[in-house]
Every structure is written in structure tokens, then in C-alpha cells.
């Protein structure tokens, strides 16, 4: 049986099916798109994409399709080549599953929106761009997908464009992503000049791989995946509707940067500088984000920071030279993070738009399904044994502990893990337990199947995904098999410490003591003072520099002072001085004549 | 009376031009000086009298210096031939004397005031006829002259003519400084190719005569008056524009020809720096020519 033919056909079919709801309404006026059509399309695509994944698991088939070729210049050809290997074949079903659940949820969440069809079209466009990015074999096609997800992110974050914060958040997202794009273009240019190809499988690592293209790739990942330095856009992106946050900013778009690093991994293996940079950057990102999440009061911001923290953890894994483990974490993270966002969406809508966790409480009894799945998601996030998060997160921390790399990165990551537990427990306690702080007349109804079935589906995925994926995939690098007991249970101990501390501290909040100003609290609350300092300083420098060069230097100095006007002023001075030398006194004139004659005779003799 | 003065003027010029002996040349110069004095002071205005006085004093000094230089040469070489003026001191003194007669810097101070004090036709005679004999003398002694001195004087003339002309509103003074500037051009080339000096002088005389006669017809003596003269004889204002631009030396007008040839000759003689400098300094005079042209032709 020709498995590769089936694999190819079904993958292309998946992609084509997704394009149909967008393409057909353009061709004929009577065919209209609707939210249910979009949701069903994605559901169908998901089921179809399961078959190629199964084929891959069963027989290890991988494929590389090369379609038309763009003869850019004679010696540099850019084909449309799609690579169906382990990464793309596994990510397709996961992405489609998560998207299906999110779209189904969005039919309830955005039901009162007049442009709901446009919203779904945007989400579908985003999904197509993301899948193009995943399945590309070629940095060119990847760049198409990369830019596509960037633009759709901008459009979706500013969905409620009447709100200024939404507009500025969208602009922030685009600007920070653009800075990352510089890195990607740098790498592409270097590759085009040096190795004359943009194909992924032709990227090899020589023993002395220059660091420049790798720095470009790391910059691209920093921009897209919100590592420290280019991170402010991710919390700001929570201005978009919850389905957008769930799809883009938790499971799919933000992992594009990490995915790029996974794809181009052969280039990184030999360059220890780049790997250490990834390691330290990831460690810093994960700790910083976790610190910021400790004091946030908006439920979506807490989950956003936790996404940022997990992305840092993925970067750490890349830095440990374990791309497959990073991919595993991407996959498991998609499930529980999307579910956390959907649960928060359900809570927000049911509380009539309330996003502040200080105004929620005791929801366990009022919204049982949502809050149970919320708890499952939080436990998976913390790395509770045998839920989805455990398989990837614990393995990462074990590898970090048993490697001979940076201790500082290790300490930061462990600290971040405990912080994860702290803010998760805080969120859970404040949202679900204790006395309720919601207003009395709240129309709370979570019994809509459009709400409960996606959330429960994703909960199922959060529980089982880790086990399923690790059971069927052979690791390409041997995981550490033996280690001392303390090392083995480090992650668990650290998490448990975090839980204990959080529970203890949350009891303290019920005793009425006036809190003193705490600089650590202020640091966490103001997100490390990063936004005010960097945003103001950078823009002011650039703008004043521009004004200095254009206006002061060129216009005023060159043109007025030194250039033409300066010359004119010089002539005026000369004319005035010369006029003063002609007073009209004949005696002076005759004296000048005599003196000049005398000088001529003396000097020319 | 006017007839006597005109004939004396012609006589004096002819005597100097056609002379071979220094005494004859000096006599001609003196006749010229004396003949034009009454023409300058015709109106008996204090300004005119002052101009006449200044003119007389300066020209007398210059003539004395001419005589002195020729006597020194006669003492050393024993002959009075104009073309055989070979003694270096004589050449230097003669150069300064002729400069005084012509109005080259640093001997130019008298010229603007004299021109301002005299009527326009007399001014024309001062600028063209009275310059002819000294230039002839310079032409005849040109092989022995010191080129460094002449170059310096020429450059300074062009510079000072330009800068001073910029600050004037009286048309006659502007023309005086333009004359000084042109004399600079004439002086710079005399040791290399004296024919070009003569060419420059002839063309300059033609153009200046045009300007003076035009100004005389429209009776303009100040820039402010010049601005309202377009109503009198409009075509004349138009031609005045072209004449002024020709004086400035813009191609394709006639005034460009001597400048071009002079620059070419200077470059051939390895004097490229001097050529560049004198061209750049002429830009200053271009500005006041343009100002004159603007005032005369741009109707309000």
C-alpha cells in the first residue's frame, strides 16, 4: 500500500479544506460563510489530519513535496516545498483540535458581535498562515506564514478597535514582531549569500558555524515568542477577545518562534555560544514572566504571563540542545493553555465582563464544569505527575539538572517553576474558593454545549496528551535514565513548596492588616519597570535624533549657518568693512597711495 | 567752450597714443587731465567741485610718478623710448602710476567719488576715454612689467570692486566699481597676452558707453529712480537688462568673450589658481549687475 501517497494527499486535502470557506464566498455571491461552517470545516480538517499522523506513527513515513519553483535568479531557485515530517504531522492534528474547540467556543463567546463572520474568517486565515509556517520546508514559505500570523495577530488584537488600549496593544505587537523579523531576514540573507539555499534540510552545521545567522534566528524567536527584551506585547495582547488570546497567544502563534528554532536546529548543534544564549535568555524570560504574574489581578494577564513563562522554558530546552523535547512541551502546552483561556473566557462572560480576580470567588459551586476543568488545566500547568504537563516539563527540568551547563539558568528555572505554582494557586484560590465577591445579580449560565464541550474536550486532551505522545514517539536523543533521588524529584519538591507557600499566604489575606509598600511587590506589579523605561527612552531617542539630523543639522546648520546663508553673511561683512575703508578724505587717499607705492618698491625689489 | 574741451581731450588722447617719447606721453596725459577738469565741475555744485579737486590731485600725482619713472629709466639706460623701459624700479613706479591713473586697487579711492560728482556724460568720458591712454602705455611697456604685482592688483580690484559695489545705491558709484572690477580683468592678462587686454578694454568701453548713455536718456541716478523708469522708454529698459548681463560676463552675450579668453590664457600660463579666484570674485559683481537689472526691468 502506498502510504506516502495517502499521506501526501490527505495533508494537501487538509490545507485545501481550510481554504474553502474563505475562497468560495469570493467566487459566488450566493455562497456565504458562517461561524458554524467554519467550525465544521476545521473539525473535518482535524479528522482528516489524524490519518497522516497515524500513518507516520505506524510506519515512520516522512515526505517532502516540492511544487512549483520560482527562478529568482539563475543560480538561486525558491521552490514551494512542504515537509511532512514528525513535527508537522504531529502538530497539525493538535493545532486543528485546539482550533476546532476554540472556534466552537467562539460561536458562543462572540455571538453578540455583528461581524462574527469576519471574526471567524480572520481566525481561519490565521490558522492557514500558521499551518503554512509549520509545514514549510523552506525559509521563504516559512516567512510567508510568519508574516501572515503577524498581520492576523494585529487585526485580531485590535478587533474592538474603538478602544485605544486595543489599538496601542496591536501596534505594540506589530512593532515588537517587526524587530524580530529583522533577525529572520538577516539569517535568510546570510544563508542566501553563503550557502545559496533556503531549504531546511540543506542547513548543516559545520564545526565552526558563524554566530551571526544564529543570532538572527534567536532575535526572530525573541520577537515572536516574547522572550525577555521583546516581551511587552504579549501581556498587552490580552486586549483582544478571549478566543484570539486562546488561539494566537497561547498555543499557536507564540510558539512559531520556538518552532523556527526547532526547524533550524541542525545549525545550532555545534555553536555553544548560541546555545548558551538561548539558555540564559530563556531562563531570564521564564523567571521574569513568573515574577510579573505573581501580582497581577486580571485573570487573562496572569494566564498571559504564564504563557510567557512557559515560552521561556521552551527556549531553555532549545538551549539544552533538545529540540524534540521542546516540541513535546509545545504540544502539551497547547492543550492546557487553550483550555485555561477558554475557561477564563467562560468565567468572564458569565460574570458579565468582570476580569479582576479580586472580584470573583466561590465560583466552584456556581460554575462546576468550568472550574473543574480550570483546576485540571492549572494542575497540568504546574506539572502534576502524569497529567500532560508533567511529561514535558519534568523531563526538561531533569535534563537541566543532569546537564553540565549553566547553573544560574538552572536556579532561575527552578525558581520560576515554584513561582508558577504560587501564582496558579493564588489564581485558583481567588477565583474558585472562599467567599464570593461578585455583584448580586449575575446571569450565570454555563450550560450551553458550545461552552462545555470544547472545554471538556481540551480537558481530556490535557490529561491524556502527554501520555499518548510520549508513548508513540521515540526520542531522538537518549533522555537521562539514572539520577539521584533528590534530582529526580526536584521539580515536584519545588512545586510543592510553591503550593504550600501560596496557600499559607492566601490565608494571610483574610486577616485585615494594612500592607506596607514592598519594593518586590512593586517590581512585580509594574512588570519590572520595563514598559515605562524602554518605551519612553527608545522612542524619545529616535525621534530627537531624527529631529537633530533632519532639522538642526541639515536645515539650520548646513543650509543657514555654513552653507548659502553663511556665505551671504560673509559677503555682507566684507562689504561693510570695505565701505568703512572709503571715508572720502583725500588726505587719507593720498597717504594710502604713497604707502602702497613705498611697499611695492620695497617688496618687489 | 565745450568744443575747446572736447578737442583738447581728443588731442591729448591722440598725442599719448601715438607717442614714442616719454615726454610726449606725459604731455598728452596732462592735456587730458586739464581738459576734463572743467567738464567735471561744470555744474559748480560743491560735490562736483570736490570731485574735480580730488581728480586733479590724484592725476597730478600720477603724472608726476610717470615722469619720475621715465627719468629714472633715462638715467640708467640713457634713452626715452617708451617700449624700452627696462629698469625694474622704473617698471614698478610706472605700474603704480598707471594704476593710479586707471583706478586699480590700491589706487582706486578717488574713482567712485569723482564719478559720483560728475554728470553722466562726463562720467562716460572718464570711464572710457580717460582710460585709453594709460592702457596704451601699459600695452607698450608690457614685456617688462612685473606680473606678480599686476596679478595681486587685479585680484584685489576684482574683490574690492565686487564688495564695494554691493553696498551702493547710487548708480554712478556702482558703475565706478564695475569699472574697477573690469580693470582688474584687464590688468591680470597684460603681461601674458596684451592683445586680450585691448580686446577687453574695447568691449568694456562699448558696453559701458551703452549703459551710461541709457542712464543718461532715462535720467536715473539712484536705484529707486531706476525702478520707475520703465514707463519712459520700455524697450530701452529691456536692452539695459541685456547690456548689464553682458557686462557681468554671461554667455552667450558679448561680455563673456574676453573673460573666456583671459581664463584660457591664464590656464595655459599655469595660473589656474589666479583664474579661479578672479572668476569667483566676479560673481560678486554679477550680483549688483543683477540688482541693477532687476530694478530697471522687473515692473512692479
Amino acid at each position: 500500500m502506498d502510504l506516502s501517497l495517502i499521506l501526501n494527499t490527505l495533508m494537501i486535502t487538509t490545507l485545501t479544506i481550510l481554504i474553502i470557506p474563505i475562497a468560495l464566498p469570493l467566487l459566488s455571491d450566493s455562497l456565504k460563510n458562517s461561524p458554524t461552517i467554519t467550525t465544521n470545516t476545521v473539525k473535518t480538517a482535524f479528522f482528516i489530519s489524524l490519518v497522516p499522523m497515524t500513518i507516520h506513527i505506524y510506519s515512520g513515513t516522512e515526505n517532502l513535496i516540492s511544487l512549483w519553483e520560482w527562478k529568482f535568479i539563475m543560480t538561486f531557485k525558491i521552490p514551494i516545498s512542504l515537509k511532512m515530517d514528525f513535527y508537522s504531522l504531529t502538530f497539525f492534528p493538535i493545532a486543528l483540535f485546539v482550533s476546532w474547540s476554540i472556534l466552537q467556543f467562539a460561536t458562543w463567546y462572540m455571538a453578540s458581535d455583528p461581524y462574527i463572520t469576519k471574526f471567524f474568517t480572520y481566525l481561519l486565515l490565521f490558522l492557514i498562515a500558521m499551518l503554512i509556517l509549520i509545514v514549510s520546508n523552506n525559509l521563504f514559505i516559512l516567512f510567508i506564514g510568519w508574516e501572515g500570523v503577524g498581520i492576523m495577530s494585529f487585526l485580531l488584537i485590535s478587533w474592538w478597535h474603538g478602544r485605544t488600549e486595543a489599538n496601542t496593544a496591536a501596534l505594540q505587537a506589530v512593532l515588537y514582531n517587526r524587530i524580530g523579523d529583522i533577525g529572520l531576514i538577516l539569517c535568510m540573507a546570510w544563508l542566501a549569500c553563503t550557502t545559496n539555499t533556503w531549504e531546511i534540510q540543506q542547513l548543516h552545521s559545520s564545526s565552526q558555524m558563524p554566530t551571526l545567522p544564529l543570532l538572527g534566528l534567536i532575535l526572530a524567536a525573541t520577537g515572536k515568542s516574547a522572550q525577555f527584551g521583546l516581551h511587552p506585547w504579549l501581556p498587552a495582547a490580552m486586549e483582544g477577545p478571549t478566543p484570539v488570546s486562546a488561539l494566537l497567544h497561547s498555543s499557536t502563534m507564540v510558539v512559531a518562534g520556538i518552532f523556527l528554532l526547532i526547524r533550524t536546529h541542525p545549525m545550532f548543534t555545534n555553536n555553544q555560544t548560541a546555545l548558551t544564549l538561548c539558555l540564559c535568555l530563556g531562563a531570564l524570560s521564564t523567571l521574569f514572566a513568573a515574577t510579573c504574574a505573581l501580582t497581577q489581578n486580571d485573570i487573562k494577564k496572569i494566564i498571559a504571563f504564564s504563557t510567557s513563562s512557559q515560552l521561556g522554558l521552551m527556549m531553555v530546552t532549545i538551549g539544552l540542545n533538545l529540540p524534540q523535547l521542546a516540541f513535546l512541551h509545545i504540544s502539551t502546552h497547547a492543550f492546557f493553555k487553550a483550555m485555561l483561556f477558554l475557561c477564563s473566557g467562560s468565567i468572564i462572560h458569565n460574570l458579565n465582563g468582570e476580569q479582576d480576580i479580586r472580584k470573583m470567588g466561590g465560583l466552584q459551586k456556581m460554575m462546576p464544569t468550568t472550574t473543574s476543568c480550570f483546576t485540571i488545566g492549572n494542575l497540568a500547568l504546574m506539572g502534576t505527575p502524569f497529567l500532560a504537563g508533567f511529561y514535558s516539563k519534568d523531563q526538561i527540568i531533569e535534563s537541566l539538572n543532569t546537564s553540565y551547563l549553566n547553573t544560574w539558568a538552572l536556579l532561575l528555572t527552578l525558581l520560576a517553576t515554584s513561582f508558577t505554582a504560587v501564582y496558579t494557586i493564588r489564581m485558583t484560590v481567588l477565583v474558585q474558593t472562599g467567599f464570593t465577591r461578585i455583584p448580586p445579580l449575575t446571569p450565570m449560565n454555563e450550560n450551553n454545549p458550545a461552552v462545555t464541550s470544547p472545554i471538556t474536550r481540551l480537558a481530556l486532551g490535557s490529561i491524556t496528551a502527554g501520555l499518548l505522545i510520549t508513548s508513540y514517539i521515540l526520542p531522538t536523543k537518549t533522555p537521562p535514565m539514572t539520577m539521584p533521588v533528590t534530582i529526580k524529584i526536584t521539580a515536584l519538591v519545588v512545586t510543592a513548596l510553591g503550593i504550600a507557600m501560596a496557600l499559607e499566604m492566601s490565608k494571610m489575606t483574610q486577616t485585615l492588616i494594612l500592607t506596607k509598600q514592598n519594593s518586590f511587590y512593586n517590581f512585580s506589579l509594574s512588570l519590572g519597570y520595563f514598559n515605562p523605561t524602554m518605551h519612553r527612552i527608545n522612542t524619545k531617542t529616535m525621534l530627537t535624533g531624527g529631529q537633530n539630523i533632519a532639522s538642526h543639522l541639515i536645515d539650520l546648520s548646513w543650509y543657514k549657518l555654513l552653507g548659502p546663508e553663511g556665505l551671504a553673511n560673509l559677503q555682507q561683512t566684507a562689504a561693510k568693512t570695505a565701505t568703512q575703508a572709503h571715508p572720502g578724505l583725500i588726505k587719507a587717499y593720498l597717504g594710502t597711495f604713497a604707502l602702497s607705492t613705498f611697499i611695492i618698491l620695497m617688496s618687489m625689489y | 567752450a565745450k568744443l575747446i574741451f572736447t578737442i583738447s581731450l581728443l588731442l591729448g588722447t591722440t598725442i599719448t597714443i601715438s607717442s614714442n617719447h616719454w615726454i610726449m606721453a606725459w604731455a598728452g596725459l596732462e592735456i587730458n587731465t586739464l581738459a576734463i577738469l572743467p567738464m567735471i565741475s561744470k555744474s559748480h555744485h560743491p560735490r562736483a567741485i570736490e570731485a574735480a579737486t580730488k581728480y586733479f590731485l590724484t592725476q597730478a600725482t600720477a603724472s608726476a610718478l610717470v615722469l619720475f619713472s621715465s627719468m629714472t629709466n633715462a638715467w640708467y639706460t640713457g634713452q626715452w623710448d617708451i617700449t624700452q623701459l627696462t629698469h625694474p624700479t622704473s617698471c614698478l613706479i610706472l605700474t603704480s602710476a598707471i594704476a593710479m591713473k586707471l583706478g586699480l586697487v590700491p589706487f582706486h579711492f578717488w574713482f567712485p567719488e569723482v564719478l559720483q560728482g560728475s554728470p553722466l556724460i562726463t562720467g562716460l568720458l572718464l570711464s572710457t576715454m580717460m582710460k585709453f591712454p594709460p592702457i596704451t602705455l601699459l600695452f607698450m611697456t608690457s614685456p617688462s612689467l612685473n606680473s606678480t604685482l599686476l596679478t595681486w592688483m587685479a585680484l584685489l580690484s576684482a574683490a574690492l570692486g565686487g564688495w564695494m559695489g554691493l553696498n551702493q545705491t547710487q548708480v554712478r558709484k556702482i558703475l565706478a566699481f564695475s569699472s574697477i572690477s573690469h580693470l582688474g580683468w584687464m590688468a591680470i592678462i597684460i603681461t601674458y597676452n596684451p592683445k586680450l587686454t585691448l580686446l577687453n578694454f574695447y568691449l568694456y568701453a562699448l558696453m559701458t558707453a551703452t549703459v551710461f548713455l541709457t542712464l543718461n536718456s532715462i535720467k536715473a541716478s539712484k536705484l529707486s529712480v531706476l525702478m520707475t523708469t520703465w514707463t519712459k522708454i520700455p524697450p530701452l529698459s529691456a536692452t539695459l537688462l541685456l547690456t548689464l548681463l553682458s557686462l557681468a560676463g554671461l554667455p552667450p552675450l558679448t561680455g563673456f568673450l574676453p573673460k573666456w579668453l583671459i581664463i584660457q590664457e591664464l590656464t595655459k600660463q599655469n595660473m589656474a589658481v589666479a583664474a579661479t579666484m578672479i572668476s569667483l570674485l566676479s560673481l560678486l559683481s554679477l550680483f549688483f549687475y543683477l540688482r541693477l537689472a532687476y530694478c530697471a526691468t522687473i515692473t512692479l
Side-chain angles (χ1 to χ4, degrees):
Chain A
M1 201 158 57
D2 200 357
L3 292 172
S4 54
L5 179 64
I6 302 181
L7 193 136
N8 282 345
T9 325
L10 290 176
M11 284 296 274
I12 304 265
T13 317
T14 319
L15 283 172
T16 327
I17 283 187
L18 288 172
I19 297 180
I20 289 178
I22 302 178
L24 281 187
L26 295 172
L27 295 172
S28 155
D29 226 356
S30 61
L31 301 168
K32 290 220 185 306
N33 199 2
S34 86
T36 35
I37 292 181
T38 318
T39 321
N40 288 335
T41 315
V42 176
K43 180 160 93 174
T44 325
F46 163 65
F47 283 121
I48 297 178
S49 71
L50 279 177
V51 180
M53 181 177 82
T54 330
I55 294 178
H56 175 77
I57 295 176
Y58 169 66
S59 66
T61 321
E62 287 189 353
N63 256 320
L64 179 62
I65 304 178
S66 195
L67 301 173
W68 309 288
E69 206 172 58
W70 177 25
K71 288 192 177 48
F72 185 47
I73 43 177
M74 266 306 116
T75 46
F76 190 69
K77 300 181 178 54
I78 305 174
I80 301 179
S81 63
L82 313 173
K83 185 172 172 74
M84 279 69 155
D85 66 339
F86 161 64
Y87 294 128
S88 53
L89 289 171
T90 324
F91 197 77
F92 257 57
I94 295 175
L96 286 166
F97 182 71
V98 168
S99 309
W100 167 33
S101 311
I102 293 173
L103 286 174
Q104 196 180 9
F105 179 82
T107 51
W108 172 78
Y109 192 82
M110 306 291 289
S112 61
D113 197 310
Y115 299 111
I116 188 172
T117 317
K118 188 157 87 155
F119 184 75
F120 272 71
T121 318
Y122 279 2
L123 282 178
L124 194 56
L125 268 176
F126 165 81
L127 185 61
I128 294 170
M130 185 72 201
L131 293 180
I132 290 175
L133 195 159
I134 297 293
V135 87
S136 72
N137 183 34
N138 179 323
L139 279 179
F140 185 66
I141 307 290
L142 192 141
F143 190 62
I144 295 177
W146 185 275
E147 292 295 300
V149 299
I151 287 295
M152 296 324 292
S153 160
F154 169 75
L155 289 172
L156 283 166
I157 294 174
S158 63
W159 178 253
W160 290 314
H161 52 79
R163 216 175 125 78
T164 10
E165 289 97 337
N167 287 329
T168 45
L171 272 177
Q172 239 185 324
V174 164
L175 286 173
Y176 276 117
N177 270 342
R178 257 297 176 241
I179 300 177
D181 288 354
I182 297 174
L184 184 56
I185 295 179
L186 170 69
C187 176
M188 283 166 78
W190 187 91
L191 281 173
C193 295
T194 324
T195 57
N196 197 34
T197 178
W198 278 338
E199 302 289 308
I200 303 281
Q201 69 264 35
Q202 292 197 22
L203 304 172
H204 62 282
S205 77
S206 55
S207 56
Q208 259 133 23
M209 188 72 185
T211 327
L212 184 63
L214 302 177
L215 283 179
L217 287 174
I218 294 175
L219 181 62
T222 315
K224 195 62 112 185
S225 302
Q227 302 299 310
F228 182 75
L230 299 177
H231 64 279
W233 70 272
L234 191 53
M238 295 299 118
E239 291 288 334
T242 311
V244 170
S245 308
L247 187 53
L248 273 73
H249 306 119
S250 59
S251 5
T252 28
M253 183 180 119
V254 291
V255 301
I258 305 289
F259 194 80
L260 173 71
L261 292 181
I262 293 176
R263 269 274 191 249
T264 54
H265 192 260
M267 296 202 325
F268 276 86
T269 12
N270 274 345
N271 194 323
Q272 198 52 42
T273 322
L275 288 176
T276 319
L277 182 62
C278 283
L279 191 67
C280 297
L281 185 63
L284 186 59
S285 311
T286 181
L287 181 63
F288 181 75
T291 317
C292 292
L294 291 175
T295 51
Q296 297 301 310
N297 293 318
D298 183 348
I299 191 174
K300 281 178 75 174
K301 284 248 177 10
I302 297 182
I303 307 182
F305 277 114
S306 106
T307 309
S308 204
S309 182
Q310 296 303 307
L311 289 170
L313 193 64
M314 291 175 208
M315 190 65 124
V316 163
T317 326
I318 300 276
L320 287 173
N321 218 353
L322 299 168
Q324 208 180 21
L325 193 51
F327 180 75
L328 179 64
H329 195 57
I330 288 178
S331 318
T332 51
H333 174 260
F335 285 105
F336 54 76
K337 198 46 66 72
M339 183 175 70
L340 280 175
F341 268 113
L342 292 190
C343 292
S344 73
S346 166
I347 294 173
I348 291 168
H349 245 34
N350 276 321
L351 292 179
N352 203 21
E354 185 55 64
Q355 288 185 284
D356 196 332
I357 55 175
R358 298 172 292 190
K359 292 215 184 124
M360 306 174 193
L363 290 180
Q364 181 101 33
K365 300 289 188 284
M366 296 188 259
M367 300 170 65
T369 326
T370 313
T371 44
S372 326
C373 296
F374 197 62
T375 318
I376 295 176
N378 280 329
L379 287 174
L381 173 61
M382 286 194 289
T384 315
F386 309 116
L387 291 183
F390 170 74
Y391 286 93
S392 48
K393 207 167 165 187
D394 201 63
Q395 244 185 315
I396 295 173
I397 300 204
E398 271 174 30
S399 315
L400 195 53
N401 272 337
T402 52
S403 70
Y404 292 104
L405 296 171
N406 218 310
T407 320
W408 178 77
L410 168 67
L411 286 174
L412 258 56
T413 317
L414 287 177
L415 196 58
T417 318
S418 75
F419 279 179
T420 310
V422 172
Y423 64 70
T424 315
I425 294 295
R426 172 175 179 258
M427 188 166 64
T428 319
V429 162
L430 279 173
V431 168
Q432 297 177 304
T433 66
F435 293 103
T436 183
R437 299 174 287 277
I438 63 180
L441 289 175
T442 334
M444 206 177 278
N445 181 13
E446 61 159 11
N447 290 324
N448 197 329
V451 181
T452 43
S453 55
I455 293 183
T456 37
R457 226 181 299 134
L458 284 174
L460 216 61
S462 305
I463 299 172
T464 55
L467 179 63
L468 285 175
I469 300 179
T470 45
S471 317
Y472 286 109
I473 304 300
L474 283 174
T476 45
K477 295 196 170 99
T478 8
M481 296 289 191
T482 59
M483 58 192 90
V485 175
T486 340
I487 306 270
K488 184 86 183 157
I489 59 172
T490 313
L492 281 172
V493 164
V494 151
T495 311
L497 268 175
I499 295 178
M501 207 152 15
L503 286 172
E504 201 49 51
M505 283 201 282
S506 58
K507 280 217 192 64
M508 285 165 63
T509 58
Q510 285 159 1
T511 57
L512 294 169
I513 301 176
L514 185 65
T515 47
K516 282 190 288 232
Q517 284 280 355
N518 183 358
S519 57
F520 184 67
Y521 179 82
N522 284 347
F523 179 82
S524 169
L525 190 60
S526 351
L527 313 183
Y529 312 113
F530 187 90
N531 286 20
T533 47
M534 291 308 281
H535 287 177
R536 191 73 197 125
I537 285 178
N538 269 339
T539 51
K540 186 153 171 264
T541 320
M542 258 183 257
L543 287 173
T544 43
Q547 188 195 26
N548 277 340
I549 291 176
S551 179
H552 293 165
L553 191 60
I554 295 180
D555 283 345
L556 295 177
S557 298
W558 280 115
Y559 290 159
K560 287 209 171 245
L561 217 55
L562 298 174
E565 280 199 33
L567 194 62
N569 285 339
L570 265 177
Q571 303 312 314
Q572 272 185 339
T573 322
K576 282 188 209 157
T577 321
T579 321
Q580 282 175 333
H582 290 62
L585 307 167
I586 190 69
K587 230 165 55 174
Y589 291 171
L590 289 173
T592 320
F593 295 164
L595 188 65
S596 309
T597 320
F598 184 67
I599 291 175
I600 289 170
L601 276 175
M602 284 303 113
S603 59
M604 299 280 175
Y605 205 43
Chain B
K2 202 126 168 255
L3 188 64
I4 298 181
F5 298 137
T6 326
I7 293 179
S8 310
L9 211 55
L10 284 172
L11 181 68
T13 315
T14 323
I15 290 176
T16 316
I17 293 169
S18 51
S19 64
N20 274 324
H21 195 283
W22 272 114
I23 299 291
M24 289 304 287
W26 174 81
L29 288 172
E30 286 297 296
I31 295 174
N32 264 348
T33 313
L34 290 173
I36 206 158
L37 275 179
M39 294 181 78
I40 297 176
S41 57
K42 188 164 65 174
S43 63
H44 300 292
H45 190 268
R47 210 202 197 109
I49 306 294
E50 182 193 331
T53 321
K54 282 186 185 162
Y55 186 70
F56 176 68
L57 286 172
T58 327
Q59 299 292 302
T61 322
S63 300
L65 279 176
V66 166
L67 209 53
F68 184 58
S69 84
S70 54
M71 279 201 293
T72 319
N73 191 51
W75 184 266
Y76 278 109
T77 59
Q79 43 84 26
W80 293 85
D81 201 338
I82 294 185
T83 51
Q84 301 294 323
L85 192 81
T86 46
H87 191 70
T89 320
S90 295
C91 291
L92 291 173
I93 299 179
L94 181 71
T95 316
S96 31
I98 302 290
M100 229 184 277
K101 280 250 177 246
L102 286 174
L104 278 171
V105 170
F107 303 105
H108 69 287
F109 293 99
W110 58 274
F111 195 31
E113 283 131 35
V114 169
L115 211 64
Q116 176 68 25
S118 47
L120 272 170
I121 298 300
T122 319
L124 166 63
L125 287 174
L126 270 173
S127 299
T128 50
M129 187 79 101
M130 305 298 291
K131 305 244 185 284
F132 197 29
I135 289 191
T136 318
L137 289 176
L138 220 52
F139 180 81
M140 287 197 271
T141 58
S142 60
S144 3
L145 292 175
N146 188 333
S147 57
T148 319
L149 173 63
L150 280 166
T151 316
W152 272 109
M153 286 209 288
L155 288 173
L156 282 172
S157 302
L160 212 71
W163 280 325
M164 284 303 294
L166 285 174
N167 208 7
Q168 307 300 330
T169 51
Q170 294 288 332
V171 162
R172 283 170 285 182
K173 274 204 173 154
I174 292 181
L175 287 173
F177 287 112
S178 97
S179 170
I180 294 175
S181 177
H182 278 272
L183 282 170
W185 277 90
M186 293 178 221
I188 201 169
I189 199 68
I190 194 146
T191 47
Y192 303 111
N193 192 347
K195 293 235 177 73
L196 285 178
T197 308
L198 280 186
L199 173 74
N200 198 350
F201 177 70
Y202 296 146
L203 290 174
Y204 165 71
L206 188 64
M207 294 185 287
T208 304
T210 319
V211 175
F212 269 106
L213 289 171
T214 314
L215 290 172
N216 195 33
S217 321
I218 54 182
K219 303 264 184 301
S221 56
K222 293 191 286 217
L223 280 183
S224 47
V225 175
L226 199 58
M227 273 197 135
T228 58
T229 57
W230 61 274
T231 53
K232 296 182 187 169
I233 313 168
L236 198 60
S237 297
T239 46
L240 181 61
L241 164 74
L242 286 174
T243 318
L244 285 167
L245 290 179
S246 178
L247 263 178
L250 287 178
L253 304 166
T254 319
F256 177 58
L257 176 66
K259 289 202 161 64
W260 178 14
L261 293 173
I262 289 175
I263 292 177
Q264 192 174 9
E265 190 60 40
L266 282 175
T267 324
K268 282 190 209 156
Q269 301 282 344
N270 252 341
M271 299 257 295
V273 176
T276 320
M277 296 252 5
I278 203 168
S279 318
L280 282 174
L281 291 168
S282 295
L283 283 175
L284 295 164
S285 47
L286 171 67
F287 185 74
F288 61 72
Y289 287 130
L290 281 174
R291 187 191 281 156
L292 274 175
Y294 177 81
C295 292
T297 53
I298 306 293
T299 55
L300 296 164

